[in-house]
PDB file of all heavy atoms in Angstrom:
ATOM      1  N   ASP A  18      49.060  -2.470  73.616  1.00 92.00           N
ATOM      2  CA  ASP A  18      49.532  -1.129  73.277  1.00 92.00           C
ATOM      3  C   ASP A  18      50.316  -0.449  74.395  1.00 92.00           C
ATOM      4  O   ASP A  18      49.747   0.321  75.192  1.00 92.00           O
ATOM      5  CB  ASP A  18      48.349  -0.240  72.883  1.00 92.00           C
ATOM      6  CG  ASP A  18      48.217  -0.100  71.385  1.00 92.00           C
ATOM      7  OD1 ASP A  18      49.054  -0.655  70.654  1.00 92.00           O
ATOM      8  OD2 ASP A  18      47.270   0.561  70.933  1.00 92.00           O
ATOM      9  N   PRO A  19      51.624  -0.680  74.482  1.00 96.00           N
ATOM     10  CA  PRO A  19      52.442   0.223  75.289  1.00 96.00           C
ATOM     11  C   PRO A  19      52.461   1.594  74.622  1.00 96.00           C
ATOM     12  O   PRO A  19      52.265   1.707  73.406  1.00 96.00           O
ATOM     13  CB  PRO A  19      53.825  -0.436  75.259  1.00 96.00           C
ATOM     14  CG  PRO A  19      53.837  -1.241  74.013  1.00 96.00           C
ATOM     15  CD  PRO A  19      52.429  -1.693  73.780  1.00 96.00           C
ATOM     16  N   VAL A  20      52.665   2.633  75.408  1.00 97.00           N
ATOM     17  CA  VAL A  20      52.742   3.978  74.835  1.00 97.00           C
ATOM     18  C   VAL A  20      54.021   4.657  75.307  1.00 97.00           C
ATOM     19  O   VAL A  20      54.581   4.325  76.363  1.00 97.00           O
ATOM     20  CB  VAL A  20      51.522   4.846  75.210  1.00 97.00           C
ATOM     21  CG1 VAL A  20      50.246   4.258  74.629  1.00 97.00           C
ATOM     22  CG2 VAL A  20      51.400   5.028  76.716  1.00 97.00           C
ATOM     23  N   THR A  21      54.472   5.621  74.511  1.00 98.00           N
ATOM     24  CA  THR A  21      55.656   6.411  74.837  1.00 98.00           C
ATOM     25  C   THR A  21      55.220   7.825  75.181  1.00 98.00           C
ATOM     26  O   THR A  21      54.441   8.439  74.438  1.00 98.00           O
ATOM     27  CB  THR A  21      56.621   6.447  73.644  1.00 98.00           C
ATOM     28  OG1 THR A  21      57.018   5.116  73.318  1.00 98.00           O
ATOM     29  CG2 THR A  21      57.853   7.266  73.968  1.00 98.00           C
ATOM     30  N   LEU A  22      55.702   8.336  76.330  1.00 98.00           N
ATOM     31  CA  LEU A  22      55.335   9.688  76.746  1.00 98.00           C
ATOM     32  C   LEU A  22      56.134  10.697  75.935  1.00 98.00           C
ATOM     33  O   LEU A  22      57.365  10.791  76.046  1.00 98.00           O
ATOM     34  CB  LEU A  22      55.608   9.874  78.239  1.00 98.00           C
ATOM     35  CG  LEU A  22      55.182  11.218  78.838  1.00 98.00           C
ATOM     36  CD1 LEU A  22      53.672  11.405  78.707  1.00 98.00           C
ATOM     37  CD2 LEU A  22      55.604  11.320  80.300  1.00 98.00           C
ATOM     38  N   ASP A  23      55.427  11.478  75.107  1.00 98.00           N
ATOM     39  CA  ASP A  23      56.082  12.414  74.194  1.00 98.00           C
ATOM     40  C   ASP A  23      56.013  13.862  74.669  1.00 98.00           C
ATOM     41  O   ASP A  23      56.939  14.640  74.420  1.00 98.00           O
ATOM     42  CB  ASP A  23      55.427  12.318  72.804  1.00 98.00           C
ATOM     43  CG  ASP A  23      55.504  10.916  72.218  1.00 98.00           C
ATOM     44  OD1 ASP A  23      56.566  10.289  72.313  1.00 98.00           O
ATOM     45  OD2 ASP A  23      54.479  10.447  71.681  1.00 98.00           O
ATOM     46  N   VAL A  24      54.915  14.241  75.302  1.00 98.00           N
ATOM     47  CA  VAL A  24      54.698  15.643  75.676  1.00 98.00           C
ATOM     48  C   VAL A  24      54.077  15.703  77.063  1.00 98.00           C
ATOM     49  O   VAL A  24      53.172  14.917  77.382  1.00 98.00           O
ATOM     50  CB  VAL A  24      53.759  16.346  74.664  1.00 98.00           C
ATOM     51  CG1 VAL A  24      53.454  17.776  75.097  1.00 98.00           C
ATOM     52  CG2 VAL A  24      54.363  16.339  73.266  1.00 98.00           C
ATOM     53  N   LEU A  25      54.569  16.650  77.896  1.00 98.00           N
ATOM     54  CA  LEU A  25      53.956  16.934  79.192  1.00 98.00           C
ATOM     55  C   LEU A  25      54.148  18.430  79.428  1.00 98.00           C
ATOM     56  O   LEU A  25      55.232  18.884  79.808  1.00 98.00           O
ATOM     57  CB  LEU A  25      54.617  16.111  80.299  1.00 98.00           C
ATOM     58  CG  LEU A  25      53.868  16.010  81.625  1.00 98.00           C
ATOM     59  CD1 LEU A  25      52.526  15.301  81.438  1.00 98.00           C
ATOM     60  CD2 LEU A  25      54.698  15.273  82.664  1.00 98.00           C
ATOM     61  N   VAL A  26      53.075  19.191  79.167  1.00 98.00           N
ATOM     62  CA  VAL A  26      53.172  20.646  79.183  1.00 98.00           C
ATOM     63  C   VAL A  26      52.146  21.227  80.143  1.00 98.00           C
ATOM     64  O   VAL A  26      50.960  20.876  80.098  1.00 98.00           O
ATOM     65  CB  VAL A  26      52.954  21.227  77.771  1.00 98.00           C
ATOM     66  CG1 VAL A  26      52.961  22.753  77.808  1.00 98.00           C
ATOM     67  CG2 VAL A  26      54.031  20.736  76.823  1.00 98.00           C
ATOM     68  N   ASP A  27      52.621  22.141  81.002  1.00 98.00           N
ATOM     69  CA  ASP A  27      51.746  22.855  81.923  1.00 98.00           C
ATOM     70  C   ASP A  27      51.464  24.235  81.351  1.00 98.00           C
ATOM     71  O   ASP A  27      52.365  24.914  80.857  1.00 98.00           O
ATOM     72  CB  ASP A  27      52.435  22.974  83.285  1.00 98.00           C
ATOM     73  CG  ASP A  27      51.493  23.445  84.370  1.00 98.00           C
ATOM     74  OD1 ASP A  27      51.157  24.653  84.363  1.00 98.00           O
ATOM     75  OD2 ASP A  27      51.103  22.628  85.219  1.00 98.00           O
ATOM     76  N   ASP A  28      50.185  24.656  81.388  1.00 98.00           N
ATOM     77  CA  ASP A  28      49.835  25.930  80.754  1.00 98.00           C
ATOM     78  C   ASP A  28      50.368  27.134  81.513  1.00 98.00           C
ATOM     79  O   ASP A  28      50.410  28.249  80.971  1.00 98.00           O
ATOM     80  CB  ASP A  28      48.318  26.046  80.551  1.00 98.00           C
ATOM     81  CG  ASP A  28      47.538  26.141  81.855  1.00 98.00           C
ATOM     82  OD1 ASP A  28      48.082  25.768  82.922  1.00 98.00           O
ATOM     83  OD2 ASP A  28      46.366  26.582  81.808  1.00 98.00           O
ATOM     84  N   VAL A  29      50.801  26.941  82.750  1.00 98.00           N
ATOM     85  CA  VAL A  29      51.404  28.023  83.528  1.00 98.00           C
ATOM     86  C   VAL A  29      52.916  27.857  83.617  1.00 98.00           C
ATOM     87  O   VAL A  29      53.681  28.818  83.462  1.00 98.00           O
ATOM     88  CB  VAL A  29      50.800  28.089  84.940  1.00 98.00           C
ATOM     89  CG1 VAL A  29      51.514  29.145  85.790  1.00 98.00           C
ATOM     90  CG2 VAL A  29      49.310  28.389  84.872  1.00 98.00           C
ATOM     91  N   TYR A  30      53.365  26.613  83.793  1.00 98.00           N
ATOM     92  CA  TYR A  30      54.773  26.370  84.115  1.00 98.00           C
ATOM     93  C   TYR A  30      55.567  25.743  82.965  1.00 98.00           C
ATOM     94  O   TYR A  30      56.722  25.375  83.138  1.00 98.00           O
ATOM     95  CB  TYR A  30      54.867  25.505  85.371  1.00 98.00           C
ATOM     96  CG  TYR A  30      54.121  26.115  86.534  1.00 98.00           C
ATOM     97  CD1 TYR A  30      52.978  25.521  87.057  1.00 98.00           C
ATOM     98  CD2 TYR A  30      54.543  27.323  87.085  1.00 98.00           C
ATOM     99  CE1 TYR A  30      52.289  26.096  88.108  1.00 98.00           C
ATOM    100  CE2 TYR A  30      53.848  27.905  88.143  1.00 98.00           C
ATOM    101  CZ  TYR A  30      52.722  27.290  88.642  1.00 98.00           C
ATOM    102  OH  TYR A  30      52.034  27.874  89.673  1.00 98.00           O
ATOM    103  N   GLY A  31      54.945  25.615  81.771  1.00 98.00           N
ATOM    104  CA  GLY A  31      55.697  25.235  80.592  1.00 98.00           C
ATOM    105  C   GLY A  31      55.979  23.756  80.457  1.00 98.00           C
ATOM    106  O   GLY A  31      55.289  22.900  81.029  1.00 98.00           O
ATOM    107  N   ASP A  32      57.044  23.455  79.693  1.00 98.00           N
ATOM    108  CA  ASP A  32      57.410  22.083  79.318  1.00 98.00           C
ATOM    109  C   ASP A  32      58.037  21.365  80.513  1.00 98.00           C
ATOM    110  O   ASP A  32      59.176  21.652  80.902  1.00 98.00           O
ATOM    111  CB  ASP A  32      58.389  22.123  78.144  1.00 98.00           C
ATOM    112  CG  ASP A  32      58.768  20.731  77.654  1.00 98.00           C
ATOM    113  OD1 ASP A  32      58.221  19.741  78.176  1.00 98.00           O
ATOM    114  OD2 ASP A  32      59.633  20.659  76.753  1.00 98.00           O
ATOM    115  N   LEU A  33      57.294  20.403  81.040  1.00 98.00           N
ATOM    116  CA  LEU A  33      57.775  19.701  82.228  1.00 98.00           C
ATOM    117  C   LEU A  33      58.809  18.635  81.884  1.00 98.00           C
ATOM    118  O   LEU A  33      59.481  18.117  82.786  1.00 98.00           O
ATOM    119  CB  LEU A  33      56.600  19.066  82.977  1.00 98.00           C
ATOM    120  CG  LEU A  33      55.524  20.062  83.435  1.00 98.00           C
ATOM    121  CD1 LEU A  33      54.383  19.321  84.121  1.00 98.00           C
ATOM    122  CD2 LEU A  33      56.116  21.123  84.353  1.00 98.00           C
ATOM    123  N   LEU A  34      58.935  18.282  80.600  1.00 98.00           N
ATOM    124  CA  LEU A  34      59.951  17.312  80.189  1.00 98.00           C
ATOM    125  C   LEU A  34      61.299  17.992  79.908  1.00 98.00           C
ATOM    126  O   LEU A  34      62.276  17.315  79.577  1.00 98.00           O
ATOM    127  CB  LEU A  34      59.493  16.539  78.950  1.00 98.00           C
ATOM    128  CG  LEU A  34      58.203  15.725  79.116  1.00 98.00           C
ATOM    129  CD1 LEU A  34      57.906  14.941  77.838  1.00 98.00           C
ATOM    130  CD2 LEU A  34      58.288  14.772  80.305  1.00 98.00           C
ATOM    131  N   ASP A  35      61.327  19.331  80.063  1.00 98.00           N
ATOM    132  CA  ASP A  35      62.553  20.107  79.865  1.00 98.00           C
ATOM    133  C   ASP A  35      63.265  20.249  81.202  1.00 98.00           C
ATOM    134  O   ASP A  35      62.797  20.959  82.102  1.00 98.00           O
ATOM    135  CB  ASP A  35      62.202  21.476  79.290  1.00 98.00           C
ATOM    136  CG  ASP A  35      63.415  22.381  79.112  1.00 98.00           C
ATOM    137  OD1 ASP A  35      64.551  21.904  79.315  1.00 98.00           O
ATOM    138  OD2 ASP A  35      63.215  23.561  78.775  1.00 98.00           O
ATOM    139  N   GLY A  36      64.405  19.582  81.320  1.00 97.00           N
ATOM    140  CA  GLY A  36      65.150  19.638  82.580  1.00 97.00           C
ATOM    141  C   GLY A  36      65.677  21.007  82.911  1.00 97.00           C
ATOM    142  O   GLY A  36      66.053  21.270  84.063  1.00 97.00           O
ATOM    143  N   ALA A  37      65.712  21.922  81.930  1.00 98.00           N
ATOM    144  CA  ALA A  37      66.215  23.276  82.164  1.00 98.00           C
ATOM    145  C   ALA A  37      65.088  24.290  82.334  1.00 98.00           C
ATOM    146  O   ALA A  37      65.347  25.501  82.355  1.00 98.00           O
ATOM    147  CB  ALA A  37      67.122  23.694  81.004  1.00 98.00           C
ATOM    148  N   ASN A  38      63.865  23.843  82.466  1.00 98.00           N
ATOM    149  CA  ASN A  38      62.722  24.738  82.608  1.00 98.00           C
ATOM    150  C   ASN A  38      62.930  25.636  83.835  1.00 98.00           C
ATOM    151  O   ASN A  38      62.974  25.151  84.974  1.00 98.00           O
ATOM    152  CB  ASN A  38      61.447  23.905  82.756  1.00 98.00           C
ATOM    153  CG  ASN A  38      60.190  24.745  82.828  1.00 98.00           C
ATOM    154  OD1 ASN A  38      60.213  25.919  83.155  1.00 98.00           O
ATOM    155  ND2 ASN A  38      59.052  24.114  82.535  1.00 98.00           N
ATOM    156  N   PRO A  39      63.025  26.965  83.647  1.00 98.00           N
ATOM    157  CA  PRO A  39      63.323  27.852  84.779  1.00 98.00           C
ATOM    158  C   PRO A  39      62.124  28.145  85.667  1.00 98.00           C
ATOM    159  O   PRO A  39      62.281  28.767  86.730  1.00 98.00           O
ATOM    160  CB  PRO A  39      63.811  29.131  84.077  1.00 98.00           C
ATOM    161  CG  PRO A  39      63.058  29.144  82.778  1.00 98.00           C
ATOM    162  CD  PRO A  39      62.936  27.701  82.365  1.00 98.00           C
ATOM    163  N   LEU A  40      60.932  27.734  85.241  1.00 98.00           N
ATOM    164  CA  LEU A  40      59.716  28.050  85.997  1.00 98.00           C
ATOM    165  C   LEU A  40      59.418  27.049  87.096  1.00 98.00           C
ATOM    166  O   LEU A  40      58.489  27.247  87.886  1.00 98.00           O
ATOM    167  CB  LEU A  40      58.518  28.137  85.048  1.00 98.00           C
ATOM    168  CG  LEU A  40      58.620  29.183  83.935  1.00 98.00           C
ATOM    169  CD1 LEU A  40      57.380  29.121  83.043  1.00 98.00           C
ATOM    170  CD2 LEU A  40      58.794  30.587  84.520  1.00 98.00           C
ATOM    171  N   VAL A  41      60.175  25.951  87.137  1.00 98.00           N
ATOM    172  CA  VAL A  41      59.924  24.904  88.137  1.00 98.00           C
ATOM    173  C   VAL A  41      61.231  24.515  88.796  1.00 98.00           C
ATOM    174  O   VAL A  41      62.329  24.796  88.290  1.00 98.00           O
ATOM    175  CB  VAL A  41      59.271  23.663  87.484  1.00 98.00           C
ATOM    176  CG1 VAL A  41      57.902  24.004  86.921  1.00 98.00           C
ATOM    177  CG2 VAL A  41      60.156  23.074  86.402  1.00 98.00           C
ATOM    178  N   SER A  42      61.093  23.842  89.932  1.00 98.00           N
ATOM    179  CA  SER A  42      62.265  23.301  90.627  1.00 98.00           C
ATOM    180  C   SER A  42      61.920  21.916  91.155  1.00 98.00           C
ATOM    181  O   SER A  42      60.749  21.511  91.148  1.00 98.00           O
ATOM    182  CB  SER A  42      62.684  24.225  91.775  1.00 98.00           C
ATOM    183  OG  SER A  42      61.629  24.359  92.725  1.00 98.00           O
ATOM    184  N   SER A  43      62.951  21.190  91.568  1.00 98.00           N
ATOM    185  CA  SER A  43      62.757  19.823  92.070  1.00 98.00           C
ATOM    186  C   SER A  43      61.902  19.016  91.085  1.00 98.00           C
ATOM    187  O   SER A  43      61.007  18.267  91.491  1.00 98.00           O
ATOM    188  CB  SER A  43      62.105  19.826  93.456  1.00 98.00           C
ATOM    189  OG  SER A  43      62.892  20.562  94.366  1.00 98.00           O
ATOM    190  N   ASN A  44      62.180  19.176  89.794  1.00 98.00           N
ATOM    191  CA  ASN A  44      61.336  18.628  88.731  1.00 98.00           C
ATOM    192  C   ASN A  44      61.775  17.201  88.369  1.00 98.00           C
ATOM    193  O   ASN A  44      62.805  17.014  87.721  1.00 98.00           O
ATOM    194  CB  ASN A  44      61.408  19.528  87.505  1.00 98.00           C
ATOM    195  CG  ASN A  44      60.597  18.999  86.340  1.00 98.00           C
ATOM    196  OD1 ASN A  44      59.668  18.216  86.526  1.00 98.00           O
ATOM    197  ND2 ASN A  44      60.951  19.425  85.139  1.00 98.00           N
ATOM    198  N   THR A  45      60.984  16.209  88.784  1.00 98.00           N
ATOM    199  CA  THR A  45      61.281  14.813  88.421  1.00 98.00           C
ATOM    200  C   THR A  45      60.616  14.404  87.110  1.00 98.00           C
ATOM    201  O   THR A  45      60.832  13.298  86.620  1.00 98.00           O
ATOM    202  CB  THR A  45      60.831  13.848  89.530  1.00 98.00           C
ATOM    203  OG1 THR A  45      59.407  13.884  89.653  1.00 98.00           O
ATOM    204  CG2 THR A  45      61.469  14.206  90.867  1.00 98.00           C
ATOM    205  N   CYS A  46      59.798  15.293  86.547  1.00 98.00           N
ATOM    206  CA  CYS A  46      59.075  14.952  85.310  1.00 98.00           C
ATOM    207  C   CYS A  46      60.017  14.851  84.114  1.00 98.00           C
ATOM    208  O   CYS A  46      59.765  14.079  83.178  1.00 98.00           O
ATOM    209  CB  CYS A  46      57.998  15.985  85.031  1.00 98.00           C
ATOM    210  SG  CYS A  46      56.698  16.051  86.294  1.00 98.00           S
ATOM    211  N   ALA A  47      61.086  15.665  84.124  1.00 98.00           N
ATOM    212  CA  ALA A  47      61.984  15.683  82.975  1.00 98.00           C
ATOM    213  C   ALA A  47      62.552  14.296  82.695  1.00 98.00           C
ATOM    214  O   ALA A  47      62.823  13.948  81.538  1.00 98.00           O
ATOM    215  CB  ALA A  47      63.106  16.678  83.211  1.00 98.00           C
ATOM    216  N   ALA A  48      62.728  13.490  83.735  1.00 98.00           N
ATOM    217  CA  ALA A  48      63.292  12.146  83.555  1.00 98.00           C
ATOM    218  C   ALA A  48      62.353  11.201  82.831  1.00 98.00           C
ATOM    219  O   ALA A  48      62.760  10.105  82.423  1.00 98.00           O
ATOM    220  CB  ALA A  48      63.668  11.563  84.921  1.00 98.00           C
ATOM    221  N   LEU A  49      61.093  11.597  82.653  1.00 98.00           N
ATOM    222  CA  LEU A  49      60.106  10.709  82.020  1.00 98.00           C
ATOM    223  C   LEU A  49      60.044  10.875  80.504  1.00 98.00           C
ATOM    224  O   LEU A  49      59.298  10.141  79.849  1.00 98.00           O
ATOM    225  CB  LEU A  49      58.716  10.979  82.606  1.00 98.00           C
ATOM    226  CG  LEU A  49      58.555  10.749  84.112  1.00 98.00           C
ATOM    227  CD1 LEU A  49      57.105  11.004  84.509  1.00 98.00           C
ATOM    228  CD2 LEU A  49      58.984   9.347  84.506  1.00 98.00           C
ATOM    229  N   ALA A  50      60.783  11.821  79.932  1.00 96.00           N
ATOM    230  CA  ALA A  50      60.731  12.048  78.485  1.00 96.00           C
ATOM    231  C   ALA A  50      61.078  10.759  77.745  1.00 96.00           C
ATOM    232  O   ALA A  50      62.128  10.157  77.958  1.00 96.00           O
ATOM    233  CB  ALA A  50      61.690  13.156  78.095  1.00 96.00           C
ATOM    234  N   GLY A  51      60.170  10.315  76.866  1.00 96.00           N
ATOM    235  CA  GLY A  51      60.404   9.103  76.087  1.00 96.00           C
ATOM    236  C   GLY A  51      60.171   7.817  76.833  1.00 96.00           C
ATOM    237  O   GLY A  51      60.413   6.734  76.292  1.00 96.00           O
ATOM    238  N   ASP A  52      59.684   7.898  78.068  1.00 97.00           N
ATOM    239  CA  ASP A  52      59.420   6.677  78.842  1.00 97.00           C
ATOM    240  C   ASP A  52      58.307   5.855  78.204  1.00 97.00           C
ATOM    241  O   ASP A  52      57.336   6.393  77.668  1.00 97.00           O
ATOM    242  CB  ASP A  52      59.011   7.029  80.273  1.00 97.00           C
ATOM    243  CG  ASP A  52      60.165   6.899  81.250  1.00 97.00           C
ATOM    244  OD1 ASP A  52      61.318   6.889  80.784  1.00 97.00           O
ATOM    245  OD2 ASP A  52      59.907   6.817  82.463  1.00 97.00           O
ATOM    246  N   THR A  53      58.433   4.536  78.287  1.00 97.00           N
ATOM    247  CA  THR A  53      57.385   3.626  77.840  1.00 97.00           C
ATOM    248  C   THR A  53      56.497   3.272  79.021  1.00 97.00           C
ATOM    249  O   THR A  53      56.986   2.899  80.094  1.00 97.00           O
ATOM    250  CB  THR A  53      57.985   2.349  77.242  1.00 97.00           C
ATOM    251  OG1 THR A  53      58.721   2.686  76.071  1.00 97.00           O
ATOM    252  CG2 THR A  53      56.890   1.346  76.858  1.00 97.00           C
ATOM    253  N   ILE A  54      55.194   3.392  78.808  1.00 98.00           N
ATOM    254  CA  ILE A  54      54.210   3.039  79.838  1.00 98.00           C
ATOM    255  C   ILE A  54      53.461   1.810  79.345  1.00 98.00           C
ATOM    256  O   ILE A  54      52.783   1.852  78.314  1.00 98.00           O
ATOM    257  CB  ILE A  54      53.221   4.188  80.097  1.00 98.00           C
ATOM    258  CG1 ILE A  54      53.947   5.524  80.245  1.00 98.00           C
ATOM    259  CG2 ILE A  54      52.383   3.880  81.337  1.00 98.00           C
ATOM    260  CD1 ILE A  54      53.015   6.722  80.312  1.00 98.00           C
ATOM    261  N   LEU A  55      53.595   0.712  80.056  1.00 97.00           N
ATOM    262  CA  LEU A  55      52.944  -0.528  79.649  1.00 97.00           C
ATOM    263  C   LEU A  55      51.441  -0.438  79.860  1.00 97.00           C
ATOM    264  O   LEU A  55      50.965   0.329  80.710  1.00 97.00           O
ATOM    265  CB  LEU A  55      53.518  -1.697  80.440  1.00 97.00           C
ATOM    266  CG  LEU A  55      55.003  -1.998  80.211  1.00 97.00           C
ATOM    267  CD1 LEU A  55      55.457  -3.148  81.108  1.00 97.00           C
ATOM    268  CD2 LEU A  55      55.274  -2.330  78.745  1.00 97.00           C
ATOM    269  N   PRO A  56      50.664  -1.218  79.102  1.00 95.00           N
ATOM    270  CA  PRO A  56      49.208  -1.227  79.318  1.00 95.00           C
ATOM    271  C   PRO A  56      48.881  -1.570  80.769  1.00 95.00           C
ATOM    272  O   PRO A  56      49.432  -2.521  81.335  1.00 95.00           O
ATOM    273  CB  PRO A  56      48.723  -2.324  78.366  1.00 95.00           C
ATOM    274  CG  PRO A  56      49.770  -2.402  77.308  1.00 95.00           C
ATOM    275  CD  PRO A  56      51.070  -2.114  77.997  1.00 95.00           C
ATOM    276  N   GLY A  57      48.023  -0.762  81.364  1.00 96.00           N
ATOM    277  CA  GLY A  57      47.671  -0.958  82.767  1.00 96.00           C
ATOM    278  C   GLY A  57      48.657  -0.341  83.732  1.00 96.00           C
ATOM    279  O   GLY A  57      48.422  -0.345  84.938  1.00 96.00           O
ATOM    280  N   GLY A  58      49.764   0.191  83.232  1.00 98.00           N
ATOM    281  CA  GLY A  58      50.773   0.820  84.083  1.00 98.00           C
ATOM    282  C   GLY A  58      50.645   2.337  84.088  1.00 98.00           C
ATOM    283  O   GLY A  58      49.769   2.924  83.435  1.00 98.00           O
ATOM    284  N   PHE A  59      51.543   2.994  84.830  1.00 98.00           N
ATOM    285  CA  PHE A  59      51.526   4.448  84.908  1.00 98.00           C
ATOM    286  C   PHE A  59      52.917   4.972  85.227  1.00 98.00           C
ATOM    287  O   PHE A  59      53.800   4.215  85.659  1.00 98.00           O
ATOM    288  CB  PHE A  59      50.529   4.941  85.965  1.00 98.00           C
ATOM    289  CG  PHE A  59      50.926   4.612  87.382  1.00 98.00           C
ATOM    290  CD1 PHE A  59      51.695   5.496  88.140  1.00 98.00           C
ATOM    291  CD2 PHE A  59      50.546   3.414  87.976  1.00 98.00           C
ATOM    292  CE1 PHE A  59      52.067   5.191  89.443  1.00 98.00           C
ATOM    293  CE2 PHE A  59      50.907   3.103  89.278  1.00 98.00           C
ATOM    294  CZ  PHE A  59      51.674   3.994  90.015  1.00 98.00           C
ATOM    295  N   VAL A  60      53.117   6.264  84.981  1.00 98.00           N
ATOM    296  CA  VAL A  60      54.303   6.977  85.454  1.00 98.00           C
ATOM    297  C   VAL A  60      53.817   8.160  86.267  1.00 98.00           C
ATOM    298  O   VAL A  60      52.700   8.659  86.070  1.00 98.00           O
ATOM    299  CB  VAL A  60      55.207   7.433  84.297  1.00 98.00           C
ATOM    300  CG1 VAL A  60      55.827   6.238  83.592  1.00 98.00           C
ATOM    301  CG2 VAL A  60      54.451   8.308  83.306  1.00 98.00           C
TER     302      VAL A  60
END
């Protein structure tokens, strides 16, 4: 079971997969939207 990262939301700083999120800076999380994570792997 590989999985696809669909949602990454912070309750204070909002949608971390949104590259235009104004509440954060230097945000590398946006690049992970739709990434596949292999079993035993991580992002």
Side-chain angles (χ1 to χ4, degrees):
D18 260 358
V20 296
T21 300
L22 184 62
D23 301 317
V24 176
L25 196 63
V26 176
D27 192 286
D28 67 341
V29 175
Y30 305 113
D32 183 4
L33 301 178
L34 300 183
D35 177 7
N38 183 338
L40 301 178
V41 296
S42 60
S43 302
N44 178 23
T45 65
C46 296
L49 299 182
D52 261 19
T53 296
I54 313 172
L55 296 178
F59 68 91
V60 293

